[in-house]
Amino acid sequence: MIQKVLIIEDERPNADRLERLIKSVRPNAQIVDVLECICESIEWFESHEMPDVVMMDIRLSDGLSFEIFEKTTISCPIIFTTAYDEYAVKAFKYNSIDYLLKPVELDELERAFQKLESTSSAPEPASLANLLNYFQPKDFRTRFLLPYRDGYKSLQINDISYFYSKLKITRAKLHNGSEEIIPLTMEELEEQLNPKDFFRANRQFIIHVDAIEQIHNYFNGKLKVDLKRTPEDMELIVSREKASLLKAWLDF
C-alpha cells in the first residue's frame, strides 16, 4: 500500500501535474513534500523518515539527481520521471522501480505503482535485460498544425531556431526571421521537444543548439547567451544552476 510519496521536481507545473496524477490513481496517498534541488533533497533525507516511494526527476536546477544518492542514504524505492531517455541505464543502478518519460501518463503511473505494491520485499534494481525489454523511448514532436487564415498550415520543428515567452504568449522564432504563435506553454513544449536539439535555458527561452551565436561569462557564475536573432528588449541569461547543464549539453 502506497501511503507516503515524496516528489523531487524543479518545475512547479510538472510537480503539480504529478500530484494530480498520484491523487487520481491513489486518492489516499499523502504527498509528504515537494523538493526542487539536490541540496534540499539531501537535507530532507537526513531529517525525515523514508516515504513509501520517491518520484524523482533527473535533471534538477543544480545538477543531476544521482548526486543525492552519493551524499545520503535512500532506502526506499524510486520512480524516475524525466524528459531524457539517455539516463535510463544509469537510473536502474539505483533502487529504481520504474523510469517514466515525461509527460507521464496516468496508465504508466498506475502500472508503476502496481509494480511497487506487488513487490513483497525491498525492491531490487531491474536487470538490464528487463530494462531493455520494457523501455521504449517516446516520440518527440516534429511539427505543429497552426491556424492560418480560414484554414491551417504546418510548421516543421526543423524550421525553428528557438521558442520564447513574452506577456504569457509562446512564440517560435524561425530561421528566416519570422515568428509564429504556438498554442502551448513552455512547460508543455519542454516535454515534447527532443532534448538533444532543444534546451530550456530559463523560464523564457527554449533554444535550438544551432541558434546560439556566442556564450559569455556573466556575474555570479551565470552565462549570457547571444542568439542569432535575439528578440528586441530581451536578454537570455542562464542561471548559475543551469549553466553547467548548458555547457554539458553543448559539449555532448
Side-chain angles (χ1 to χ4, degrees):
M1 178 73 68
I2 296 174
Q3 296 180 328
K4 295 182 179 181
V5 182
L6 174 65
I7 295 175
I8 302 178
E9 166 64 64
D10 65 337
E11 295 284 351
R12 189 69 225 189
N14 290 337
D16 291 343
R17 182 175 187 273
L18 194 54
E19 284 194 57
R20 292 193 297 269
L21 292 177
I22 293 170
K23 287 298 184 181
S24 295
V25 298
R26 295 296 182 274
N28 295 326
Q30 175 191 0
I31 309 299
V32 295
D33 215 335
V34 177
L35 310 176
E36 298 183 355
C37 64
I38 292 171
C39 294
E40 185 181 21
S41 300
I42 293 170
E43 292 177 0
W44 193 94
F45 281 110
E46 291 179 348
S47 59
H48 293 78
E49 293 183 358
M50 290 292 153
D52 295 313
V53 64
V54 180
M55 307 294 299
M56 183 181 291
D57 191 10
I58 291 182
R59 284 196 180 183
L60 301 175
S61 60
D62 53 349
L64 300 181
S65 60
F66 300 130
E67 295 180 33
I68 301 171
F69 297 91
E70 299 171 1
K71 298 179 180 179
T72 190
T73 300
I74 304 177
S75 58
C76 64
I78 310 294
I79 297 176
F80 287 99
T81 62
T82 178
Y84 306 93
D85 59 14
E86 63 261 38
Y87 303 110
V89 174
K90 185 173 182 179
F92 277 83
K93 293 180 180 179
Y94 301 97
N95 44 329
S96 172
I97 282 290
D98 220 327
Y99 186 100
L100 305 181
L101 284 177
K102 297 178 181 178
V104 177
E105 302 295 341
L106 195 66
D107 59 338
E108 294 175 330
L109 182 61
E110 172 63 29
R111 285 196 296 269
F113 278 3
Q114 287 179 0
K115 186 188 302 184
L116 171 58
E117 291 170 338
S118 65
T119 303
S120 57
S121 58
E124 297 180 357
S127 68
L128 181 59
N130 288 337
L131 168 61
L132 295 177
N133 287 333
Y134 168 79
F135 180 70
Q136 294 293 331
K138 294 183 179 179
D139 292 331
F140 294 105
R141 180 183 282 276
T142 59
R143 58 188 172 270
F144 298 93
L145 185 65
L146 303 177
Y148 182 69
R149 296 179 180 173
D150 58 348
Y152 298 89
K153 66 177 179 180
S154 180
L155 174 62
Q156 301 296 313
I157 288 291
N158 292 336
D159 293 331
I160 298 173
S161 291
Y162 59 86
F163 300 87
Y164 73 99
S165 176
K166 190 174 184 180
L167 300 177
K168 298 184 178 180
I169 297 176
T170 301
R171 303 175 187 271
K173 174 71 80 170
L174 278 57
H175 298 313
N176 62 14
S178 63
E179 293 187 357
E180 297 286 351
I181 294 177
I182 305 298
L184 295 172
T185 66
M186 297 293 278
E187 286 73 25
E188 290 170 333
L189 276 177
E190 185 181 13
E191 293 178 350
Q192 297 177 20
L193 297 172
N194 190 334
K196 294 180 180 179
D197 299 323
F198 289 91
F199 180 81
R200 180 73 181 272
N202 56 28
R203 295 190 179 277
Q204 287 185 293
F205 284 90
I206 299 177
I207 58 177
H208 191 280
V209 63
D210 293 333
I212 298 174
E213 182 79 36
Q214 195 170 359
I215 300 177
H216 310 272
N217 288 319
Y218 208 60
F219 68 91
N220 289 337
K222 300 177 183 178
L223 296 175
K224 183 178 183 294
V225 179
D226 293 338
L227 300 175
K228 293 178 180 177
R229 294 182 177 87
T230 305
E232 294 183 3
D233 304 323
M234 295 184 73
E235 282 188 328
L236 201 176
I237 305 299
V238 179
S239 68
R240 180 178 61 183
E241 292 76 19
K242 278 204 168 184
S244 59
L245 295 177
L246 174 61
K247 289 185 284 188
W249 176 68
L250 289 172
D251 194 39
F252 186 75

